[in-house]
Amino acid sequence: SLILANKRPHPYPIISLVHHLRCSELRPKWQNGIYRVVEKAYLQSVDGFIFNSETTKGVVNGLMDHGKPSVVAFPPTDRFGGAISETEIEERSKTKELNILFLGNVIERKGLITLLEAVQLLTLRQTQGSAFDFRLDVVGGLTVDPEYAKTIQTFIINNNLSSFVFLHGALNNQPLIEKLKSAHVHVVPSSYEGYGIVYLEGMGFGLPAIGTTLGAATEVIEDSVTGFLIQPGDAQSLAEKLQLLSERRDLLLEMSLAARSRYQRQPKWNQTASQIRDFLLSFLR
């Protein structure tokens, strides 16, 4: 929709804020080929880039040899205020039930089905005598992809997970904050994230994050320190990580505090905005 609007000559520089490219997502090769052609044409029509991550920058640079000015401006994530206290995190780690949180729209790319498959494996271990008390809260819009949401609901029913998995739909403000405060671990096994700000939001509440090795989650999550990185779709590995955190509460606490520390190191809005402003002003010199 912007390729024609950006057609040269134009009287001012056109800068693109690039979050992530559709052609980076997991889908059939022929479909990504179409996205690649369209996205490349668009990217060629602008004069400079603001990237949200080094991963996104690398994808664009790999798609086209552009030589255009760019800046990587990491997104701040302080909409909930400061991180919760270490004391709160320590007290929470002692509760018997492991509270798992999935925060994101219920769409295929976010990988909720992988998390449900991991939960199914954990329930099977319960029936085999392995003690594991847990609860999964799914917070995210159910109307973005109604067909996929129906698939999720059917999977929960067919696998007798209704006693463990709770779909809350989209939550905001205090109800969302309460879910973040009560959780122990934040799991979004997305097939691709252009950055993964949602992982950092959870880290502000001392939640170790579990994401995947594809995309920019690797820039946010330090494997086995602030969370875990698994291969996309690897439900077995995800189940093992969750059971480990449930059994090793000392490890859970250690990773929770490390996650909180990672959150506190993220740039603030004034830093990121200042960086972007300086970049934009450079086009006027």
Side-chain angles (χ1 to χ4, degrees):
S1 61
L2 292 171
I3 293 172
L4 289 178
N6 291 354
K7 189 175 180 180
R8 299 173 190 274
H10 39 72
Y12 38 74
I14 297 178
I15 312 301
S16 178
L17 173 61
V18 188
H19 177 71
H20 86 242
L21 301 187
R22 295 288 301 272
C23 67
S24 299
E25 299 173 10
L26 289 179
R27 61 168 58 84
K29 188 176 180 180
W30 69 267
Q31 288 183 338
N32 272 340
I34 296 172
Y35 280 123
R36 192 173 291 109
V37 170
V38 175
E39 289 176 328
K40 183 176 180 178
Y42 164 72
L43 295 168
Q44 289 173 328
S45 75
V46 306
D47 301 300
F49 303 106
I50 300 168
F51 298 118
N52 65 333
S53 68
E54 293 290 347
T55 299
T56 301
K57 178 181 178 179
V59 170
V60 171
N61 290 349
L63 185 63
M64 51 184 278
D65 184 15
H66 57 84
K68 298 178 182 182
S70 67
V71 65
V72 177
F74 297 113
T77 176
D78 51 5
R79 67 172 172 142
F80 298 116
I84 65 172
S85 70
E86 291 187 10
T87 302
E88 290 176 278
I89 295 172
E90 289 171 5
E91 288 302 312
R92 185 181 64 197
S93 70
K94 300 173 185 177
T95 59
K96 182 180 180 182
E97 184 180 64
L98 185 74
N99 291 326
I100 307 163
L101 176 66
F102 173 95
L103 179 56
N105 285 325
V106 179
I107 59 177
E108 188 172 3
R109 179 171 62 84
K110 296 293 182 179
L112 178 56
I113 195 69
T114 301
L115 176 53
L116 292 179
E117 289 169 350
V119 165
Q120 181 190 22
L121 290 172
L122 294 172
T123 60
L124 291 175
R125 292 176 187 180
Q126 277 190 331
T127 62
Q128 295 167 0
S130 176
F132 184 78
D133 293 328
F134 69 95
R135 169 193 176 101
L136 168 59
D137 287 301
V138 177
V139 177
L142 298 168
T143 59
V144 180
D145 186 345
E147 187 173 337
Y148 183 73
K150 186 175 180 180
T151 299
I152 292 297
Q153 292 165 331
T154 300
F155 185 95
I156 292 170
I157 294 170
N158 289 348
N159 292 280
N160 301 313
L161 298 178
S162 299
S163 299
F164 305 96
V165 181
F166 303 89
L167 303 178
H168 299 279
L171 298 178
N172 285 302
N173 303 321
Q174 197 58 37
L176 175 55
I177 290 173
E178 290 305 316
K179 289 299 177 189
L180 286 159
K181 281 186 173 181
S182 63
H184 291 104
V185 59
H186 185 199
V187 185
V188 184
S190 176
S191 63
Y192 189 86
E193 289 290 344
Y195 186 68
I197 197 169
V198 71
Y199 302 122
L200 281 164
E201 288 180 335
M203 288 179 183
F205 292 83
L207 303 183
I210 301 182
T212 70
T213 54
L214 186 60
T218 55
E219 294 186 46
V220 179
I221 303 169
E222 185 177 356
D223 190 37
S224 301
V225 177
T226 59
F228 294 109
L229 293 166
I230 63 170
Q231 294 292 321
D234 190 349
Q236 178 68 43
S237 178
L238 178 52
E240 290 170 0
K241 304 302 185 190
L242 292 172
Q243 185 154 6
L244 176 64
L245 290 176
S246 178
E247 294 172 350
R248 289 278 312 281
R249 292 310 175 100
D250 59 328
L251 177 62
L252 172 63
L253 177 57
E254 180 182 327
M255 296 181 75
S256 297
L257 295 176
R260 178 182 183 272
S261 178
R262 172 62 182 87
Y263 168 85
Q264 292 176 317
R265 296 195 301 271
Q266 189 71 1
K268 303 301 181 186
W269 272 112
N270 61 344
Q271 296 170 279
T272 296
S274 177
Q275 185 183 13
I276 293 172
R277 181 178 184 274
D278 289 343
F279 175 68
L280 296 175
L281 288 174
S282 70
F283 284 85
L284 304 180
R285 296 179 188 135

Short mmCIF file of all heavy atoms in Angstrom, two decimals, residues 86 114 140 171 175 235:
data_model
loop_
_atom_site.label_atom_id
_atom_site.label_comp_id
_atom_site.label_asym_id
_atom_site.label_seq_id
_atom_site.Cartn_x
_atom_site.Cartn_y
_atom_site.Cartn_z
N GLU A 86 12.57 -7.92 44.93
CA GLU A 86 13.17 -9.24 45.10
C GLU A 86 12.42 -10.04 46.17
O GLU A 86 12.27 -11.26 46.04
CB GLU A 86 14.64 -9.09 45.48
CG GLU A 86 15.52 -8.55 44.37
CD GLU A 86 16.99 -8.58 44.73
OE1 GLU A 86 17.33 -9.18 45.77
OE2 GLU A 86 17.80 -8.02 43.97
N THR A 114 2.18 -25.51 20.80
CA THR A 114 3.37 -26.19 21.33
C THR A 114 3.33 -26.22 22.85
O THR A 114 3.66 -27.24 23.47
CB THR A 114 4.65 -25.47 20.85
OG1 THR A 114 4.69 -25.47 19.42
CG2 THR A 114 5.90 -26.15 21.40
N GLY A 140 -4.73 -13.35 26.03
CA GLY A 140 -4.55 -12.85 24.68
C GLY A 140 -5.84 -12.92 23.89
O GLY A 140 -6.72 -13.76 24.18
N LEU A 171 -6.57 -9.06 28.37
CA LEU A 171 -6.66 -8.35 29.64
C LEU A 171 -5.76 -7.12 29.59
O LEU A 171 -4.73 -7.12 28.94
CB LEU A 171 -6.22 -9.24 30.81
CG LEU A 171 -7.02 -10.51 31.08
CD1 LEU A 171 -6.39 -11.28 32.24
CD2 LEU A 171 -8.47 -10.19 31.39
N PRO A 175 -6.03 -6.19 35.93
CA PRO A 175 -6.20 -7.65 35.77
C PRO A 175 -4.98 -8.31 35.13
O PRO A 175 -4.58 -9.41 35.52
CB PRO A 175 -7.43 -7.77 34.87
CG PRO A 175 -8.22 -6.53 35.16
CD PRO A 175 -7.19 -5.45 35.36
N ALA A 235 7.84 -29.50 21.80
CA ALA A 235 7.02 -29.61 23.02
C ALA A 235 7.72 -30.45 24.08
O ALA A 235 7.58 -30.18 25.29
CB ALA A 235 5.66 -30.21 22.68
#
